[in-house]
Amino acid sequence: MTTPHTAASTPPPTDPHAPDPPTTGVAAPAHTGSSATRTLGLVTLAAMALLVFLAFVASPRDQVQGDLVRLLYIHPALAWTAYLACGVATTASIWHLVKKTPGSDVLAHSAVEVGAVLTALTLATGSIWGRPTWGVYWVWDARLTSTALLFLLLLGYLALHRIDAAPEVRSRRAAVVGVLLVPNVVLVHQSVEWWRTLHQDPTLARRDFDFATSDLFMFTLVYSVVVMSLVFTWLLIHRFRVGWLALQAEELWLDTAIEARRAEGAGTTEPAETTRTEPPRSEGGLP
Amino acid sequence: MSGDMTYILAGWGVTLATLGVFALSLAVRGRRLSRMVPAERRRWTS
């Protein structure tokens, strides 16, 4: 959504095909992965495979919903991780407004982008489940409408982060929207309690829910939340690293441009080409 | 296979495909940007 397209279309600060400079004797990989994230990715893939097995093979048909219950092994988990993303985004946004650190802005922006994808999937899977259950893909129910508003808020954050303004200005404005995400999540979650809605009440948050006596349906439901949380963690780490790299590329471009301008002012060299091009736009903004 | 399986497979398919494409896009963006940034500025590799 916020791919630094300008970074790809302008001369990079360093040769993109040049080998990485040596660091501590170990060649640094040219990607956002690390041994920890690779392990996390493998664990997540294995956990997802087990979830698919539980959802489609091991879990029986529900007496009321029939096979449609298999959609519930993904839809509530997506909603939960969307909430989680909003929580991270709001926390990082508050941190950014207070401390103005570049990392907090990159984290908030990353969480919002991942959260937008998860919220869109929550809406999509909910609509697909609603068609055979309610007879319609969409109804202006309180839960659905508030979730759609949350999605629009996430898109608004991403749009604000792309406005043509100074990096610190757009980061600050986006952070203000980021602060509003958790209150909106509370509205989404409580909508089934505060209004009479078509959407059912919370299942896992019921006070009388007993994990000890739960059947395979409940186990798979809880397990799906764990799996999607792993997916969210992997996506957030990698999205954060992408944002961090974009920030570093922007700073490197700025350093190069300043040096070129100084050299131009001193009359020692010809004007550098980089002074006439757009900078590689950061995904997180400058500090 | 019941008639509902179309909806079930659509829901799961949309989810897994979207997450897969998003993860792939992150990997591609990360590789492209990594080539622009010196290794010492990539903290997770040090």
Side-chain angles (χ1 to χ4, degrees):
Chain A
M1 284 181 198
T2 54
T3 304
H5 51 87
T6 50
S9 59
T10 54
T14 57
D15 182 1
H17 302 294
D20 292 324
T23 51
T24 55
V26 179
H31 49 70
T32 53
S34 60
S35 58
T37 56
R38 275 192 292 276
T39 304
L40 175 64
L42 289 174
V43 169
T44 304
L45 281 177
M48 181 61 83
L50 179 58
L51 175 61
V52 171
F53 172 79
L54 287 172
F56 284 92
V57 180
S59 179
R61 286 165 54 92
D62 184 63
Q63 289 183 341
V64 178
Q65 299 199 39
D67 280 325
L68 281 175
V69 74
R70 302 182 200 286
L71 268 177
L72 297 186
Y73 298 138
I74 197 73
H75 172 68
L78 286 167
W80 155 252
T81 44
Y83 292 175
L84 199 59
C86 290
V88 172
T90 295
T91 305
S93 293
I94 293 171
W95 187 255
H96 183 70
L97 289 173
V98 174
K99 296 290 183 182
K100 296 181 175 59
T101 58
S104 58
D105 181 52
V106 174
L107 179 60
H109 192 194
S110 304
V112 167
E113 187 173 307
V114 176
V117 172
L118 294 170
T119 306
L121 286 173
T122 303
L123 289 169
T125 53
S127 294
I128 291 170
W129 179 85
R131 179 66 181 86
T133 307
W134 297 337
V136 289
Y137 282 108
W138 183 265
V139 59
W140 292 104
D141 169 90
R143 170 63 68 85
L144 276 67
T145 305
S146 57
T147 305
L149 284 174
L150 177 64
F151 182 57
L152 290 176
L153 201 60
L154 291 164
L155 293 184
Y157 179 103
L158 294 174
L160 271 177
H161 224 285
R162 293 178 66 87
I163 60 172
D164 192 15
E168 62 272 16
V169 172
R170 65 175 188 243
S171 298
R172 192 170 57 248
R173 288 177 181 174
V176 173
V177 175
V179 171
L180 301 175
L181 290 171
V182 161
N184 207 309
V185 164
V186 173
L187 180 71
V188 172
H189 186 72
Q190 291 299 114
S191 60
V192 292
E193 305 278 358
W194 291 344
W195 293 286
R196 291 173 62 87
T197 62
L198 191 58
H199 197 284
Q200 71 261 33
D201 294 342
T203 303
L204 295 178
R206 278 200 324 235
R207 291 179 183 175
D208 59 346
F209 180 73
D210 184 5
F211 281 93
T213 59
S214 64
D215 54 13
L216 189 58
F217 165 73
M218 282 300 175
F219 173 79
T220 310
L221 199 62
V222 174
Y223 179 71
S224 69
V225 171
V226 174
V227 173
M228 284 310 301
S229 298
L230 288 174
V231 172
F232 166 73
T233 304
W234 189 93
L235 290 174
L236 182 65
I237 291 172
H238 282 267
R239 178 58 186 81
F240 177 84
R241 289 175 176 177
V242 166
W244 185 259
L245 285 172
L247 187 66
Q248 300 304 311
E250 184 175 1
E251 288 179 354
L252 281 170
W253 180 91
L254 198 59
D255 291 344
T256 306
I258 290 172
E259 285 180 15
R261 180 58 62 91
R262 282 178 180 161
E264 181 184 349
T268 54
T269 60
E270 292 295 319
E273 185 66 25
T274 52
T275 58
R276 293 192 296 271
T277 59
E278 292 293 320
R281 187 165 181 169
S282 165
E283 301 203 356
L286 287 171
Chain B
M1 179 179 286
S2 69
D4 292 337
M5 268 318 225
T6 305
Y7 294 104
I8 296 163
L9 293 176
W12 275 86
V14 165
T15 301
L16 295 181
T18 303
L19 291 177
V21 168
F22 185 55
L24 193 63
S25 76
L26 288 181
V28 170
R29 289 152 69 183
R31 281 183 183 276
R32 192 174 63 215
L33 284 165
S34 289
R35 296 192 187 101
M36 300 179 182
V37 178
E40 62 269 20
R41 289 206 181 197
R42 287 178 253 145
R43 293 181 179 179
W44 54 92
T45 62
S46 59

